[in-house]
Amino acid sequence: MGSERVEMRKRQMQVHQEAAASVLQARHRMGNTPTNASNACCFCWCCCCSCSCLTVRSEDETIQRSTFERRTEGTNNCEESPKPTLEDASSWPMSFEKVMKSAAGRGCFRQFLRTEFSEENMMFWFACEELKKETNKTVVEEKVRQIYEDFISILSPKEVSLDSRVREVINRNMLEPTSHTFDDAQQQIYTLMQRDSYPRYMNSTAYTDLLKSLEEPPPEP
């Protein structure tokens, strides 16, 4: 039953997208394509489903998105994060904030989340941090759409767990996307990691082994 619902939603989204594409193509042939067509979007939620109707993006937006995705993937790669020092890693049990303020801490914690199949929480948090640094309105709107598709849509394999109140906030914010569209959602995911995953990481063999490896003296030349 669940799989049938998902397939139905996918078909509905495909129909909406094809219809939007046809309208834009017709307007383009008539020389009447609206200048803000690439930014138009609508979202709706209910208690059991989520759907989106997105207009066809311009070639520039597609290039812009692919560039952003490559940059984000590179920055988010755990293996590329700096190796922590013993002093840094030893401070992480003091508070979750210590972990999140350390680039090495975020990398190691994300590796742990990956083993628990909840890596998307850190990815979403980081994407929101990157969004808040952006000031260009067009880029902000594109990043907001991307974050929604990657982490909010129930059709995404990386969907994060948010309650109905926060989804309603997102619904309102999507009417006028800004760099703070997902602030409430980001805070909820931060709290979830702090209360749920962080204590397990501090008591895990992954963290214990990390400390041991940092305490070991370097090999003699």
Side-chain angles (χ1 to χ4, degrees):
M1 187 67 180
S3 60
E4 292 178 357
R5 287 182 180 176
V6 172
E7 290 300 323
M8 184 178 296
R9 291 170 196 155
K10 288 181 179 179
R11 287 196 294 270
Q12 289 174 342
M13 289 179 66
Q14 184 176 3
V15 170
H16 286 315
Q17 291 170 346
E18 290 176 352
S22 298
V23 171
L24 288 176
Q25 289 172 359
R27 289 181 178 178
H28 181 71
R29 288 195 295 269
M30 296 170 61
N32 191 32
T33 303
T35 56
N36 64 342
S38 62
N39 291 329
C41 63
C42 67
F43 295 85
C44 62
W45 283 274
C46 68
C47 61
C48 62
C49 68
S50 170
C51 65
S52 62
C53 174
L54 301 175
T55 59
V56 176
R57 298 169 187 156
S58 66
E59 182 178 354
D60 288 344
E61 284 182 310
T62 302
I63 295 173
Q64 181 185 70
R65 171 170 180 162
S66 61
T67 301
F68 169 68
E69 287 176 338
R70 287 195 299 271
R71 185 172 67 250
T72 302
E73 288 173 359
T75 307
N76 276 337
N77 192 328
C78 301
E79 286 71 25
E80 293 182 1
S81 62
K83 183 177 180 180
T85 63
L86 177 58
E87 180 181 6
D88 186 16
S90 298
S91 71
W92 299 345
M94 296 179 185
S95 69
F96 184 54
E97 186 179 14
K98 291 282 188 180
V99 176
M100 296 299 282
K101 283 190 173 182
S102 164
R106 292 192 300 270
C108 294
F109 183 56
R110 182 178 166 183
Q111 288 183 17
F112 174 74
L113 293 179
R114 183 180 296 173
T115 66
E116 293 201 328
F117 304 100
S118 57
E119 183 184 9
E120 66 276 0
N121 290 333
M122 180 65 79
M123 295 170 67
F124 172 69
W125 181 88
F126 187 84
C128 292
E129 287 295 292
E130 291 294 292
L131 173 64
K132 286 189 286 191
K133 298 175 184 178
E134 189 55 64
T135 57
N136 182 283
K137 186 175 184 295
T138 300
V139 177
V140 165
E141 291 176 349
E142 171 59 22
K143 287 186 177 182
V144 166
R145 279 199 300 268
Q146 181 182 341
I147 291 174
Y148 171 81
E149 293 172 5
D150 287 348
F151 302 107
I152 308 301
S153 170
I154 64 171
L155 297 180
S156 172
K158 296 182 291 186
E159 179 196 6
V160 294
S161 178
L162 300 170
D163 62 31
S164 58
R165 180 194 66 81
V166 171
R167 285 187 175 274
E168 284 299 323
V169 172
I170 294 174
N171 189 9
R172 293 193 298 270
N173 290 346
M174 290 302 296
L175 298 175
E176 295 184 12
T178 70
S179 57
H180 296 280
T181 292
F182 302 106
D183 279 6
D184 281 16
Q186 184 188 20
Q187 182 58 48
Q188 187 169 94
I189 294 303
Y190 182 96
T191 302
L192 175 65
M193 292 190 293
Q194 181 180 31
R195 294 178 178 176
D196 187 45
S197 302
Y198 167 65
R200 287 201 299 275
Y201 177 52
M202 290 295 94
N203 293 311
S204 69
T205 56
Y207 177 67
T208 302
D209 291 344
L210 173 65
L211 286 181
K212 288 180 179 178
S213 68
L214 296 174
E215 290 170 351
E216 294 175 356
E220 295 182 2

